[in-house]
Amino acid sequence: MHHSELNGGRKGAAGHLARLGFQVDQIAVDPKDWSYAEVAATVEDYFEMLGDVLAGRSINKSKHNEMLRERLNNRSTASVELKHQNISAILDRQGLMWLTGYAPRGNVQLLLRAVVNDWVSDRPEMFMSLPPDTHKAPPSMLPLVAPPTAKAFRETQRERRGIKVDFGERDARNRQLGQAGEQWVLTILKANLLRLGRPDLADAVRWVSQEKGDGLGYDIEAYDSEARPLYIEVKTTNGGIAAPFLVTANEVAVSKEEADHYVIYRVFDFAKEPKVYVLKGPVDVSCELTPHLWRAFPK
């Protein structure tokens, strides 16, 4: 790519390179800016803590902050905390899980965004992991929240261009994660019916994707408190609420055929503190669908 293709031409390109940590002639770097070495150390520290949390190990954030500052250029405790929050913001805008306790904060350094994106692209397996105990004791009721807005989805899609991994596709292909999410929802559905005094309906709930296979277009056959049937497709991710998910042509077709009974349970933040939003009826009505994969036949 030529410098003329970038916003601002040669000077704009040089400025971007300088902000990414390169030394560029005739471009002054703000001495207060974090260097590449500082940013890389901070990103490494953040993901070390996140890895410990996912493995069920406790972390001492104050100790991490203190030890990290020994590797930095006279940075304060508050500035390190803010940088960790900036990392959470990058991950959150990409629909990925972030470290609880470091709430996302904006105004993110360009260099930090690049280093985080590289880290995620090189180590995607962290974001596909299951929680240590796979939620042995789910709550008695589903922790329901409102679905994200279309704007949030579009912002997430725009941010995700910086990484090389399609986490929506990886979620769909991760059978262990999918089954864990389905079992988690199944357990809560049964518990909720028992709580409502309908043991007969609780006994009738079926995990059909395990009993009959994946071709039905949904994972669970269940009932509401009035004994109306529900056909539930569970989509599970370790990512945040705005993480996109994949649906098959069969799922879309079945959702139209069973419009009054079809429900998608979108489980997110599964590795941390799982929550759910619900989409009812035909998928092409409840969602904005974009082509992801075509089946091709030679003419």
Side-chain angles (χ1 to χ4, degrees):
M1 177 178 287
H2 193 262
H3 64 74
S4 62
E5 298 178 66
L6 296 172
N7 185 30
R10 184 188 299 273
K11 185 176 180 180
H16 278 295
L17 289 170
R19 287 191 291 275
L20 283 169
F22 292 94
Q23 292 184 349
V24 184
D25 290 343
Q26 300 178 357
I27 295 292
V29 177
D30 189 335
K32 294 183 292 184
D33 283 350
W34 287 53
S35 69
Y36 174 81
E38 289 181 299
V39 168
T42 305
V43 170
E44 179 185 357
D45 180 67
Y46 182 98
F47 284 111
E48 180 182 332
M49 287 190 285
L50 183 57
D52 284 340
V53 169
L54 293 175
R57 296 186 291 267
S58 60
I59 58 173
N60 186 326
K61 294 175 184 173
S62 297
K63 188 66 175 178
H64 268 269
N65 189 303
E66 178 184 345
M67 294 179 66
L68 176 59
R69 282 188 285 112
E70 294 176 0
R71 304 166 60 187
L72 305 180
N73 184 24
N74 295 320
R75 303 296 179 182
S76 67
T77 300
S79 66
V80 171
E81 176 105 0
L82 177 59
K83 215 67 173 178
H84 281 143
Q85 290 180 288
N86 290 158
I87 296 172
S88 292
I90 296 169
L91 297 175
D92 185 49
R93 288 290 296 272
Q94 292 179 349
L96 299 175
M97 62 181 169
W98 45 270
L99 188 58
T100 301
Y102 291 112
R105 290 275 298 274
N107 195 22
V108 175
Q109 181 188 14
L110 182 63
L111 175 59
L112 179 64
R113 190 186 306 275
V115 172
V116 171
N117 287 345
D118 282 346
W119 205 101
V120 172
S121 294
D122 291 341
R123 303 168 182 82
E125 63 280 352
M126 169 175 284
F127 299 90
M128 310 303 296
S129 63
L130 293 177
D133 297 324
T134 316
H135 306 289
K136 290 180 184 176
S140 60
M141 296 185 66
L142 283 165
L144 292 175
V145 300
T149 62
K151 178 183 178 182
F153 266 115
R154 285 191 289 269
E155 288 177 348
T156 297
Q157 288 295 84
R158 184 168 61 249
E159 288 289 324
R160 290 170 75 87
R161 293 174 186 169
I163 56 177
K164 309 179 187 75
V165 183
D166 186 336
F167 282 96
E169 183 172 355
R170 287 181 68 99
D171 282 343
R173 294 179 181 275
N174 189 340
R175 182 170 294 273
Q176 188 180 19
L177 176 66
Q179 289 180 348
E182 291 169 23
Q183 186 172 31
W184 185 77
V185 170
L186 181 84
T187 303
I188 298 173
L189 289 171
K190 288 187 173 184
N192 191 42
L193 288 168
L194 289 172
R195 186 182 61 83
L196 294 173
R198 295 302 305 264
D200 56 325
L201 297 180
D203 288 341
V205 174
R206 292 289 179 267
W207 191 359
V208 293
S209 64
Q210 293 295 300
E211 297 176 7
K212 302 178 181 179
D214 295 327
L216 294 175
Y218 54 89
D219 301 307
I220 297 171
E221 290 179 358
Y223 301 88
D224 64 17
S225 59
E226 303 299 321
R228 290 184 292 259
L230 299 174
Y231 304 122
I232 298 172
E233 172 66 24
V234 181
K235 302 290 185 182
T236 305
T237 184
N238 286 333
I241 188 171
F245 57 90
L246 300 188
V247 294
T248 66
N250 185 44
E251 289 162 0
V252 173
V254 172
S255 74
K256 293 179 180 179
E257 295 168 4
E258 303 291 351
D260 294 334
H261 307 284
Y262 197 89
V263 186
I264 289 179
Y265 277 47
R266 177 50 162 169
V267 181
F268 61 96
D269 282 342
F270 188 66
K272 296 196 306 179
E273 196 172 324
K275 294 172 280 295
V276 182
Y277 65 81
V278 170
L279 302 171
K280 298 180 179 180
V283 178
D284 60 347
V285 175
S286 64
C287 298
E288 291 184 9
L289 300 181
T290 58
H292 181 79
L293 188 66
W294 297 99
R295 177 175 293 173
F297 299 93
K299 293 183 179 179

